[in-house]
Amino acid sequence: MALANFSSSSRSNLLKPLAPVLSFAETLRRPISTSTDPLIIETSVPFTFHNCEPPSRSVETNPQELISFFRGMATMRRMEIAADSLYKAKLIRGFCHLYDGQEAVAVGMEAAITKKDCIITAYRDHCTFLGRGGTLLEVFAELMGRQAGCSRGKGGSMHFYKKEAGFYGGHGIVGAQVPLGCGLAFAQKYSKDETVTFALYGDGAANQGQLFEALNISALWDLPVILVCENNHYGMGTAEWRAAKNPAYYKRGDYVPGLKVDGMDALAVKQACKFAKEHVLRKGPIILEMDTYRYHGHSMSDPGSTYRTRDEISGVRQERDPVERIRKVILAHDLATEKELKDFEKEIRKEVDQAIAQAKESPMPEPYELFTNVHVKGLGTEAFGADRKEVRAVLP
Amino acid sequence: MLGIIRQKAFGQSLQRIRPVASSWRGYSSTSKQMMVREALNSALDEEMSADPKVFLMEKRLGNIRVHIRSYFLTSNCGFMFMISKGLLEKYGPERVLDTPITEAGFTGIGVGAAFYGLKPIVEFMTFNFSMQAIDHIINSAAKTNYMSAGQISVPIVFRGPNGAAAGVGAQHSQCYASWYASCPGLKVLAPYSSEDARGLLKAAIRDPDPVVFLENELLYGESFPVSAEVLDSSFCLPIGKAKIEREGKDVTITAFSKMVGYALKAAEILAKDGISAEIINLRSIRPLDRPAINASVRKTNRLVTVEEGFPQHGVGAEICASIIEDSFGYLDAPVERITGADVPMPYAANLERMALPQVEDIVRAARRACYRSVPMAAAQSY
C-alpha cells in the first residue's frame, strides 16, 4: 500500500520532532492547523544544479503551512475539475487550460514570497491567480464571462490579473510573458523595491527566441527575475524531446545559473523559490525548472491521451501526485487525522459549488462595457460597433 | 530683445541643456528656428526632468567622433542617435539604457516595466524593426488595459523614424501608420514641424496609454519657426486634433509627416492656378480628427488624401470612407488618393522617386478633383 511504502522508506529520512510528545497528542491535541513550530522535511529528490550551489534538501516548514498547502492544492484541484465540467456543459467557452497536477508549483512559490513580489505566467493561470489571493467566485465568473469575474468578463480564461497582489496575468501568446516579466523586474530594480519577479513559462515556450533575448538583457542588467520553466513535458501535443534539442531547460540559460526542482513537491518548490529570490536580488537572473505534470490535455479540446499513454498519466497520479504527497506528510507527522483531511476536502467541495452557483447568478457585462477600458484616457474620441450608423460610443 | 525672450521662454530645464546643443539653432531676427531633432530632444529632456518614472531605451551608437557624425549629416544618411544627445550624460545609464539589437526582447521588457507603473520610451531605430516586436506592441501593450478591465494600464511610448528615407531600399522604407492605426487601444501620432514634434512627444509621454510616435528621418534636420509658447516646458499639443496648416476654400488636402511639406508646396503651385487648397496636417492618425476633416470637406467639397505608405487599406482609404459616411452629400467630386506606389521600395534613384508621392502628383490630383484636368473618360485605357 502506497502509504506504508512511503512511511517505511521515508521515515528514515524524516526527522521526528514531536516523537517524545506524541503520546500526549491524542489527549492534549490543540488545533494543529495553527501551530507554527518548525518542522524540517527533506525534499523527495535532490536538486540538480547548473552554474550555482544548490540549496539544502532540508526544508523548514511548520504544521500550519503544511495544512495550508493541503487546503490550497485541494482547492485548486477541485476548482480545475469543476471548470472541466463547466466547459463540457458549455458554460465556459473558447479556451480553458487546466492546471491540475501542477498545483505544487503555485502553492510552493507563494510560500516563499510576498505579494510585493510579482508573478507573471501564460494562459494556464487559474491556480496561480488563486494563489495570489484571487477568489473562487472571481475565477468562475470570469471563466463564464460574467461581471463578477476578475476582468469583469472581458478577459476570459487566459486573462486573469490582480495587480494589487502582484499578479500580472494571464497571457495568451506563448513566450510573450517572459520579456514582460523581465520588464517587471527591471521596474522593481529601477524603483529600488528589493522585490523580485517570477516569470513562468512552459517547456513549449522554452525554445522561444524572445525568451533568450530577454534573458540576455536581464543578465546584462542584473535584473531580479526568476525564469520558472513549468516543465510538464508536453508543449501542446509535442513531447519535449521532439521540440528541444536540449530538454535540460535549467541549463539552457548557458551563463545564467539554473536549478532543476521536483515540481510535484511543494516543499522543494518553496525551497527553490526562496533560494532563487535571495540569489537574484544580488546576482541577477536564475532559471528554475519545475519537473511537473498536467493530468488534463493542453486545453479542453485536447483529450491528452493521443500523445501520452493512459498508463503514464495514471502512473504519475499514483506516484507523484502533489496533493497526495502533502496528505502523506501531514498524516506521517500526525498533524491531522485522515478524517480531518477528508472533512477539509468536503468543505472545499462545498466552497467550490457555492462559488459556481454565485458565479452563475452574476449577470453578463452590460452592452456599454464593449467600449470601456479601450484607453485609460479616451479623449472623447468615437468608437464604432459593427454597424457604425447604429452603434457609436464616445470613449471617456 | 532676444535675451528677454530667452528668459521668459526658456524654463529652468533649458538652462541645463549643455552648450553644445545650442550650436544647432539658427537665429533669425524675428522668430526662433528649431530643428525637429532638437525639438524632440528638448521634449525628451523636459519630460524626463519632470517625471522620474520616464526612461529611455535605445540603441546607442556609442562614441562616434564628431567629424564622422558631421560627414554623415552632410551626406544625408541621418543618424538617429542625435535625438537623445546629452541625455545620457544628464540622466545617467539607469535612465538612458543602451539595448542590444533584440527588438522582441527589449520591447517586451519595456511593456513589462510599463505594467509595473514606469513610463518607458522605447526607440526603434526605424519602425521597420518594430515588426520584430509587433506582438508586444499589439497584444501586450494595446490590448492589456481592455483585457484586464482597466487593472493594468500601459503608459509606454514607441518612437522612431517611419517611412522612406533616401536610398535605403525595400526593407527599410515602409510606412506603418495604417497598420498601427487600425488597432484599438493604441494612439498613433505623426508630427511634421518642430512644434508638432515637441508638443506631440510631450503629450505622448504624459499620456497613460500606449502611443506609437512616427517620426521621419528626413525631417530631423529641417528647421521650423517656434514661438515662445512652444518653447515653454509646459507646452503640449492635444492628441486627436489635426491642424489646418493653410486655409483654403476649393479643395481639402490631408497629409501627415513629411507629406505635409509637399502638400504645402503643392498649395503654392495650385494658388497660381487660382485653386485655393486647404492643407490639413493630421498630427494624429489614431484617433483621427474626423470632425476637422469633415468640416473642411463640407466647406471645400473636394478631398485629396496624401500619404507615403502603401495604398491598399491605407490612411487615405479610412479618411475617404469617413467622408463618404458622414459628408457624402457635400462631395462635388470623387475623393482622390495620393499614396506610395504599390511596390516594395526600389533602390535606383529614378524608381525610388516614382515609388513615392511627389509635389506634382498632389497638384495633379487636386486639379482632377477640381475638374481642371483631362476628363477621366478620355484618359481611361483599360
Side-chain angles (χ1 to χ4, degrees), chain B residues 104-117:
Chain B
F106 71 68
T107 306
I109 287 179
V111 177
F115 280 5
Y116 195 79

Side-chain angles (χ1 to χ4, degrees), chain A residues 116 118 120 142 150-152 154-156 159 161-164 167-171 173 175-177 179-184 186-188 190-191 193 195 210 213-214 216-218 220-221 223 369-379 381-382 384 388-389 392, chain B residues 52-55 57 94-95 97-100 102-118 135-136 139-140 142 144-154 184-187 206-209 239-241 286-287 290 318 322 324-326:
Chain A
K116 293 235 174 327
C118 302
I120 191 169
E142 186 60 36
C150 55
S151 301
R152 297 215 302 273
K154 300 200 350 182
H159 304 295
Y161 305 86
K162 204 170 193 51
K163 187 169 177 179
E164 68 272 17
F167 182 54
Y168 285 83
H171 295 272
I173 307 296
Q177 75 277 15
L180 295 173
C182 297
L184 292 169
F186 173 86
Q188 288 171 315
Y190 187 100
S191 312
D193 285 347
T195 51
Q210 57 185 321
E213 293 186 15
N216 175 50
I217 295 177
S218 304
L220 270 174
W221 296 351
L223 301 183
E369 286 271 29
L370 181 66
F371 295 105
T372 55
N373 309 123
V374 176
H375 293 298
V376 172
K377 215 165 138 191
L379 305 169
T381 44
E382 271 195 311
F384 306 103
R388 49 178 58 204
K389 306 264 174 161
R392 275 184 142 153
Chain B
K53 294 208 181 103
V54 177
F55 69 95
M57 288 172 87
E94 291 89 34
R95 290 185 73 192
L97 295 137
D98 191 8
T99 64
T102 53
E103 279 76 11
F106 71 68
T107 306
I109 287 179
V111 177
F115 280 5
Y116 195 79
L118 296 187
D135 176 62
H136 281 296
N139 281 322
S140 305
T144 296
N145 194 60
Y146 190 85
M147 292 191 297
S148 68
Q151 263 189 83
I152 302 196
S153 66
V154 192
L186 283 183
K187 291 173 179 164
R206 295 178 197 178
D207 196 278
D209 291 308
I239 293 178
K241 295 277 176 268
R286 185 179 182 103
R290 296 171 209 275
E318 173 61 32
S322 179
I324 300 221
E325 281 154 9
D326 292 333

Side-chain angles (χ1 to χ4, degrees), chain B residues 233-298:
Chain B
S233 63
S234 63
F235 176 67
C236 204
L237 282 173
I239 293 178
K241 295 277 176 268
K243 181 183 180 199
I244 313 279
E245 290 285 347
R246 181 187 170 122
E247 292 216 1
K249 52 181 185 52
D250 294 328
V251 58
T252 299
I253 303 180
T254 65
F256 61 94
S257 188
K258 187 146 169 298
M259 292 292 119
V260 176
Y262 283 31
L264 287 167
K265 291 200 185 101
E268 288 292 327
I269 297 171
L270 289 164
K272 298 197 182 83
D273 274 350
I275 298 178
S276 155
E278 178 150 291
I279 309 297
I280 300 185
N281 172 4
L282 292 176
R283 284 181 165 173
S284 181
I285 317 296
R286 185 179 182 103
L288 199 55
D289 194 349
R290 296 171 209 275
I293 304 168
N294 274 283
S296 174
V297 173
R298 289 178 184 210

Side-chain angles (χ1 to χ4, degrees), chain A residues 70 73-74 77 103 321-328 345:
Chain A
F70 180 81
M73 290 197 283
R77 178 66 58 89
E103 298 90 348
D321 186 276
V323 184
E324 288 314 304
R325 163 172 281 135
I326 291 292
R327 190 199 304 271
K328 284 165 195 164
E345 286 178 302

Side-chain angles (χ1 to χ4, degrees), chain A residues 217 221, chain B residues 56-62 64 79-84 96-104 106-107 121-126 129-130 132 159:
Chain A
I217 295 177
W221 296 351
Chain B
L56 225 54
M57 288 172 87
E58 55 161 25
K59 266 178 293 309
R60 209 168 297 146
L61 284 173
I64 297 181
F79 271 70
M80 286 64 84
F81 63 107
M82 298 277 269
I83 308 301
S84 57
V96 181
L97 295 137
D98 191 8
T99 64
I101 311 175
T102 53
E103 279 76 11
F106 71 68
T107 306
I121 302 170
V122 175
E123 179 187 278
F124 294 114
M125 198 120 210
T126 73
F129 314 122
S130 73
Q132 310 241 278
R159 53 159 290 266

